[in-house]
Amino acid sequence: MNPEGDGDANCSDLMSRYVSKEMGYGVPKEGWRICLAHEFKEKRKPFQAKDVSLSNFLEHIGLGIRYLKWWYKKTQVEKKAPFIDMFRAQPLRQIYGAPLGGIGGGTITRGWKGEFCRWQLNPGMYHYKTVTANQFTVCLRRGGQTVYQQVLSVERPPTLQGWNWGYCGEYAFYHALYPRAWTVYHLPGQNVTLTCRQISPVIPHDYQDSSLPVAVFVWDIENKNDFALDVSIMFTMVNGSGHKDDKSGGHWNEPFHLEKEGEAVSGVLLHHCPPVNPYTLCIAAREQPDREVSHQTAFSPKGTCSGLWSDLITDGRLDSPTGSSPPTPKGEKVAAALAVGCSVPAQSHNRLEFCLAWDMPTITFGSREREHIRRYTRYFGTKGDASPSISHYALTHYTQWEKSIEEWQRPILQDRYSLPSWYKSALFNELYFVVDGGTVWTELPEDADVSGGVRSEDGGLPAQPAVIKEFGRFAYLEGQEYRMYNTYDVHFYASFALIMLWPKLALSVQYDIAGSVVQQDPTERLHLMSGQYSPVKAKNVVPHDIGDPDDEPWQRVNAYLIHDTADWKDLNLKFVLQVYRDFHLTQDNQYLQDMWPVCQAVMESEMKFDLDGDGLIENSGYADQTYDGWTVTGPSAYCGGLWLASLCVMCKMAKLVANEETYQRYRDILGRGSAAFDKLLWNGKYYNYDSSGRDLSNSVMSDQCAGHWFLRASGLGEGDYQAFPKEKIQSALKSVFDLNVMSFAGGQMGAVNGMRPEGVPDRSSVQSDEVWIGVVYGLAATMIHEGMLEEGMRTAEGCYRTVWERLGMAFQTPEAYCEKSIYRSLAYMRPLSIWAMQLALNTSQKDQTTSAQTGATDGEQGRDLRENQS
């Protein structure tokens, strides 16, 4: 096997320091691979307030003053973390690997060098602390004598000096193909290779096991000597997460043994007992013939800790005391250890299995107003005693998880003709954010009413829609640093991953959003951008987000203070477009029936922005665009295009519900709006940024075809449901490729948001000269839909190479980066839009004749809807 992965020369630098020829046990060819000794040459800094240019600063000086006052009140008076902190952005740490755990139960991230280094156990709230004592250690014994004992870490920490640190990273590499990862350790001078395979239960269309807060570590041991060895692996874990409450006192450990259905597991439970959101960590191993499982219930993870080291080195096992440890005194930490040993014959292989689970069944958010129950408790209970059972289940079912994961990934991984290696890595590894986006997946409370009492007959929804009741409530952050749940303008892009892989969760989000659309909150609140007071929530307007985890999500929508929600015209349009796309991909007639009146209401609220009656909505300032600070006047390519696409899908949905009058109304507006759009914005090569006629109105916006993209993703965009002439879309995409992609950074960094027609980036705003990775993936998908496969792949490749191979941002893909120096908002939602590329590839591969034969006609679908209504 080629260490560069399928002959992919661009990633060879990541593996250039790997000196061994051992490639591990069962490590796949495709994925992201890096030698543990690699060091990234480029060190970037986060965008902060000081990076705003003087011209932009002067233009937004009022916003700056208001934000500073708000930031001071939040941090110094309320003692809370602001949901966007412009003064204390996270520095870039080029260390992260695939996160552990399923969807919505919290996450623990293990870095590519083996560190346990990023924690999100309290919902949506992160801290970035490497816990030194959390390690795997190997012990080799021959003829009753220990010949080698090594912490499998390249670090040399100032604590735990009684352990043997400093493993040579040149003899190991990490390989990620999410939701699995492999670390291959060749033990110098021992002729032994260890392959640690990390498995999390993240399985498409699985709504049970995918919710479990657990991960399995399988250690494959290859003994290439002519003599047998006894091999032990020790797993050490601190009770806590490196947070200050680790020393708050009252934490305790206890050993456990659980046997059922002929299978047994044993290990140690680490009970962590803070006043808010207590939880239990569990390290466990499977008991099998010829395996010896032993433990140390409690040790102090400070000082030299030589006692634990000596315990293992003496005989390859731990003392296994019985009984619980006493609660920790305030100021002290406690840790536990678990060791598993086996014999490995000469020139042979054996395997050891561990798992790490955590059980925080009920959660409260920052406001502590109400308790929420996590999804996995439906299967393992809410008592907080589920860790042993979860561990038992994981260790006896992980092989089935892997089979399901392989069946899902295999068709894409085996496509060697049209899909390049980098794309396969990006497609699966970017899915980390579905789990590690501060994700929560909770049961719908019995007293919940998603639309606040507004029922279907009044344009609302059922109090408890069946989808949410059966599959729960789902929320993920805009970003780990932009801490707002289900930010809707960004979810527009990221939602492709959900609707393709966990469609019930995508529909659950839509029902929650729709429920908030029909509600209103007249409370006046200051908006930082405008400096004006306006209602928190207007009726029939899509909220920017559903709240901050440091407050109370779902209870108080729209945490965003930068813009007035009523000015975000694109949110309403994005709701309508997603409703139809989701129906198109699920064919859920009840969903369309429920959403149709809500779509009508939000479209009516948009009509007021058609100021001159030409069928095209107009913009007023910057607040309606997805690009903050990029001033817009009059109709624009972005919002105007979304508007026309929304009219198009409203025509389609009107046909499906057999509402001919509504169909004719939207068809008339679409005809007039399309003509106005072309007249005002088409310049012969692409659509101008806006129609103001000012100096920069003819900038080339990379995302100008977003409306058409969603039409194509929804099976529309041609014939009766065409909003944009095909030749103009293709010309616009070619202009974007030639200018925003190939004329920017040598064509090696994706598409810059704004480019001047003379071939220099538009620097008129903070965000116009950025590359937005998620937008680039959506742009690439649009190109693929239009038959521009080579251009689409080239466009997206620049982002993957930049983020994953050059800047060291694996498993923390940011919202944006500039050509030099700056990035913004690590670990961001939008790059999940790479799944739009896969949808485009799937669509382009289908024969149109087959589609016509298998797809139901409008009349058939409309009849189904009428039958449901009756």
Side-chain angles (χ1 to χ4, degrees):
M1 184 183 297
N2 187 332
E4 285 128 38
D6 201 24
D8 195 350
N10 292 65
C11 68
S12 61
D13 185 52
L14 300 182
M15 286 292 289
S16 63
R17 294 185 62 182
Y18 185 61
V19 299
S20 173
K21 300 195 182 302
E22 297 296 326
M23 300 314 298
Y25 189 90
V27 182
K29 183 181 295 185
E30 310 291 356
W32 181 72
R33 184 172 294 182
I34 183 169
C35 175
L36 267 59
H38 182 77
E39 294 182 7
F40 289 95
K41 297 173 185 175
E42 188 167 348
K43 310 292 183 184
R44 290 209 167 195
K45 294 182 179 180
F47 176 88
Q48 298 190 71
K50 62 182 176 59
D51 295 305
V52 179
S53 68
L54 180 60
S55 60
N56 278 303
F57 175 78
L58 293 174
E59 186 176 349
H60 299 298
I61 192 167
L63 166 65
I65 293 170
R66 288 185 290 271
Y67 176 83
L68 184 60
K69 289 180 179 178
W70 174 83
W71 181 90
Y72 181 85
K73 179 183 176 185
K74 198 78 174 175
T75 60
Q76 305 304 311
V77 179
E78 299 177 11
K79 303 297 183 183
K80 288 195 169 186
F83 58 82
I84 297 180
D85 195 332
M86 290 292 291
F87 298 105
R88 295 186 297 208
Q90 280 296 318
L92 176 60
R93 300 175 70 205
Q94 298 161 316
I95 65 173
Y96 296 114
L100 303 165
I103 301 173
T107 48
I108 300 170
T109 297
R110 188 166 178 249
W112 51 267
K113 293 182 181 180
E115 318 97 320
F116 289 79
C117 52
R118 185 168 65 192
W119 306 79
Q120 188 257 147
L121 297 177
N122 284 317
M125 304 301 289
Y126 284 80
H127 72 276
Y128 305 85
K129 177 71 174 179
T130 296
V131 181
T132 304
N134 292 357
Q135 298 290 344
F136 287 101
T137 296
V138 61
C139 173
L140 305 183
R141 292 173 58 78
R142 179 185 179 190
Q145 298 293 320
T146 296
V147 295
Y148 181 87
Q149 187 162 299
Q150 174 72 51
V151 182
L152 294 171
S153 169
V154 299
E155 302 301 321
R156 296 180 182 274
T159 58
L160 305 174
Q161 290 294 300
W163 298 10
N164 185 25
W165 296 91
Y167 173 85
C168 182
E170 294 180 351
Y171 288 87
F173 70 88
Y174 178 87
H175 184 97
L177 188 65
Y178 191 76
R180 298 190 293 172
W182 295 254
T183 312
V184 176
Y185 303 91
H186 180 62
L187 305 184
Q190 305 304 314
N191 225 7
V192 171
T193 300
L194 308 175
T195 303
C196 176
R197 185 165 82 257
Q198 169 185 313
I199 307 140
S200 292
V202 181
I203 304 164
H205 307 286
D206 180 314
Y207 299 93
Q208 175 176 320
D209 290 6
S210 291
S211 72
L212 301 182
V214 67
V216 173
F217 299 96
V218 178
W219 287 84
D220 285 293
I221 306 158
E222 297 175 272
N223 177 12
K224 299 188 178 180
N225 292 292
D226 293 329
F227 47 82
L229 286 170
D230 293 320
V231 181
S232 298
I233 302 287
M234 179 174 70
F235 186 14
T236 49
M237 199 79 185
V238 172
N239 186 328
S241 60
H243 194 265
K244 61 183 179 182
D245 67 20
D246 291 3
K247 294 184 177 182
S248 62
H251 313 308
W252 57 285
N253 302 344
E254 64 171 328
F256 80 93
H257 173 85
L258 176 61
E259 186 170 354
K260 60 180 180 180
E261 300 170 356
E263 294 278 359
V265 299
S266 60
V268 185
L269 304 176
L270 295 78
H271 301 290
H272 197 73
C273 308
V276 179
N277 296 339
Y279 61 92
T280 298
L281 286 168
C282 171
I283 51 176
R286 189 177 185 180
E287 295 189 355
Q288 293 176 280
D290 303 319
R291 306 288 191 282
E292 183 173 23
V293 181
S294 59
H295 70 269
Q296 181 55 260
T297 308
F299 70 91
S300 174
K302 68 178 184 179
T304 64
C305 203
S306 55
L308 180 71
W309 191 261
S310 299
D311 188 4
L312 182 66
I313 209 169
T314 300
D315 53 9
R317 64 182 307 281
L318 300 173
D319 284 346
S320 300
T322 59
S324 304
S325 69
T328 55
K330 193 169 185 178
E332 296 295 325
K333 298 181 183 181
V334 66
L338 184 68
V340 187
C342 67
S343 179
V344 188
Q347 299 295 334
S348 189
H349 158 266
N350 213 335
R351 177 174 295 167
L352 301 173
E353 299 163 322
F354 294 83
C355 88
L356 172 64
W358 51 99
D359 183 22
M360 185 192 286
T362 58
I363 53 176
T364 59
F365 293 98
S367 70
R368 304 185 188 177
E369 287 182 19
R370 69 179 303 158
E371 198 172 73
H372 301 263
I373 299 173
R374 280 185 153 143
R375 166 74 176 186
Y376 75 88
T377 62
R378 181 177 293 200
Y379 315 106
F380 287 92
T382 61
K383 295 180 180 179
D385 59 357
S387 290
S389 295
I390 294 172
S391 298
H392 187 283
Y393 186 84
L395 287 166
T396 55
H397 286 77
Y398 80 84
T399 55
Q400 296 174 31
W401 298 345
E402 289 198 283
K403 182 180 179 183
S404 298
I405 292 167
E406 287 168 359
E407 288 175 353
W408 156 49
Q409 294 183 340
R410 185 180 300 117
I412 294 169
L413 298 180
Q414 289 184 347
D415 184 344
R416 299 184 179 182
Y417 299 102
S418 60
L419 299 181
S421 182
W422 69 263
Y423 171 78
K424 298 169 187 177
S425 173
L427 185 70
F428 294 114
N429 284 323
E430 290 290 5
L431 275 178
Y432 84 94
F433 196 85
V434 171
V435 166
D436 205 19
T439 312
V440 288
W441 186 1
T442 65
E443 297 289 5
L444 184 66
E446 291 183 4
D447 62 347
D449 182 339
V450 301
S451 57
V454 185
R455 296 282 75 83
S456 301
E457 56 269 21
D458 299 315
L461 295 168
Q464 299 207 339
V467 167
I468 304 185
K469 199 166 184 180
E470 182 177 355
F471 295 98
R473 262 180 163 162
F474 178 86
Y476 60 155
L477 296 176
E478 180 178 335
Q480 291 179 10
E481 294 188 83
Y482 286 10
R483 222 177 45 248
M484 296 160 281
Y485 273 127
N486 292 352
T487 299
Y488 202 73
D489 67 307
V490 185
H491 174 70
F492 177 73
Y493 297 82
S495 60
F496 281 88
L498 289 182
I499 195 61
M500 293 177 69
L501 302 175
W502 293 276
K504 301 298 185 182
L505 296 184
L507 298 188
S508 175
V509 170
Q510 288 290 84
Y511 272 104
D512 257 328
I513 292 293
S516 67
V517 165
V518 301
Q519 298 180 58
Q520 57 187 337
D521 181 351
T523 307
E524 294 281 314
R525 184 183 57 189
L526 176 69
H527 286 269
L528 299 183
M529 179 66 82
S530 65
Q532 298 176 348
Y533 284 86
S534 61
V536 168
K537 174 67 178 64
K539 190 173 183 179
N540 297 331
V541 171
V542 174
H544 175 273
D545 58 84
I546 63 163
D548 176 356
D550 210 15
D551 189 15
E552 190 65 26
W554 294 300
Q555 300 299 111
R556 286 183 289 278
V557 301
N558 190 33
Y560 204 54
L561 303 180
I562 304 300
H563 300 311
D564 180 343
T565 304
D567 284 341
W568 280 75
K569 303 178 189 66
D570 59 331
L571 294 179
N572 282 358
L573 306 177
K574 288 172 175 177
F575 176 78
V576 172
L577 290 170
Q578 284 193 70
V579 165
Y580 182 73
R581 180 209 56 192
D582 294 352
F583 167 74
H584 170 69
L585 294 176
T586 63
Q587 294 296 299
D588 187 324
N589 289 326
Q590 183 63 53
Y591 168 74
L592 183 59
Q593 177 182 317
D594 289 340
M595 293 295 168
W596 170 244
V598 184
C599 288
Q600 288 182 288
V602 299
M603 286 297 283
E604 288 303 314
S605 74
E606 292 291 294
M607 294 293 185
K608 65 186 177 185
F609 297 112
D610 181 8
L611 303 180
D612 53 11
D614 64 356
L616 190 62
I617 62 170
E618 298 187 27
N619 304 289
S620 53
Y622 37 66
D624 48 347
Q625 286 300 109
T626 218
Y627 301 101
D628 299 344
W630 205 353
T631 305
V632 186
T633 305
S636 70
Y638 187 73
C639 273
L642 294 176
W643 167 248
L644 296 181
S646 298
L647 291 170
C648 205
V649 302
M650 289 298 288
C651 290
K652 178 68 173 178
M653 287 191 286
K655 280 288 187 181
L656 291 172
V657 299
N659 190 327
E660 187 64 24
E661 182 180 349
T662 301
Y663 169 80
Q664 290 297 340
R665 178 168 182 257
Y666 283 116
R667 173 59 65 187
D668 173 65
I669 299 171
L670 176 61
R672 291 186 288 113
S674 294
F677 188 76
D678 273 4
K679 178 181 178 182
L680 291 169
L681 293 162
W682 181 251
N683 65 18
K685 291 185 176 180
Y686 58 88
Y687 295 104
N688 285 339
Y689 176 64
D690 68 15
S691 56
S692 65
R694 61 195 175 90
D695 290 344
L696 298 174
S697 67
N698 65 340
S699 285
V700 188
M701 187 184 191
S702 66
D703 210 12
Q704 62 184 272
C705 298
H708 180 72
W709 164 40
F710 252 72
L711 289 180
R712 292 304 302 267
S714 305
L716 304 176
E718 297 178 325
D720 290 342
Y721 302 101
Q722 180 176 353
F724 312 92
K726 185 178 182 68
E727 65 276 8
K728 291 182 178 178
I729 288 292
Q730 292 185 335
S731 175
L733 290 173
K734 185 179 186 303
S735 296
V736 170
F737 182 73
D738 290 344
L739 289 166
N740 300 59
V741 179
M742 298 307 295
S743 297
F744 174 74
Q748 301 297 313
M749 294 183 73
V752 69
N753 281 338
M755 181 66 88
R756 300 293 302 137
E758 59 269 23
V760 295
D762 182 328
R763 304 191 189 278
S764 62
S765 84
V766 171
Q767 298 176 351
S768 57
D769 67 345
E770 292 181 331
V771 175
W772 288 10
I773 296 92
V775 165
V776 173
Y777 289 152
L779 168 62
T782 315
M783 291 176 174
I784 294 168
H785 278 299
E786 292 304 314
M788 301 168 63
L789 175 63
E790 184 177 344
E791 293 90 340
M793 286 295 177
R794 175 69 184 267
T795 296
E797 181 179 1
C799 284
Y800 175 80
R801 301 290 189 198
T802 300
V803 170
W804 289 78
E805 296 178 356
R806 181 177 140 201
L807 301 185
M809 295 177 172
F811 299 101
Q812 53 181 330
T813 303
E815 155 73 318
Y817 54 76
C818 293
E819 184 174 0
K820 297 177 182 178
S821 305
I822 300 296
Y823 67 85
R824 186 167 57 77
S825 187
L826 289 171
Y828 199 76
M829 176 199 288
R830 203 188 316 255
L832 285 170
S833 62
I834 193 169
W835 280 86
M837 293 179 64
Q838 188 58 33
L839 178 63
L841 289 165
N842 293 345
T843 302
S844 66
Q845 290 169 357
K846 290 180 180 177
D847 182 84
Q848 291 183 347
T849 304
T850 304
S851 299
Q853 292 172 347
T854 58
T857 66
D858 289 346
E860 289 170 338
Q861 292 174 356
R863 185 179 66 247
D864 291 342
L865 284 165
R866 291 193 296 275
E867 288 172 354
N868 278 352
Q869 290 171 329
S870 64

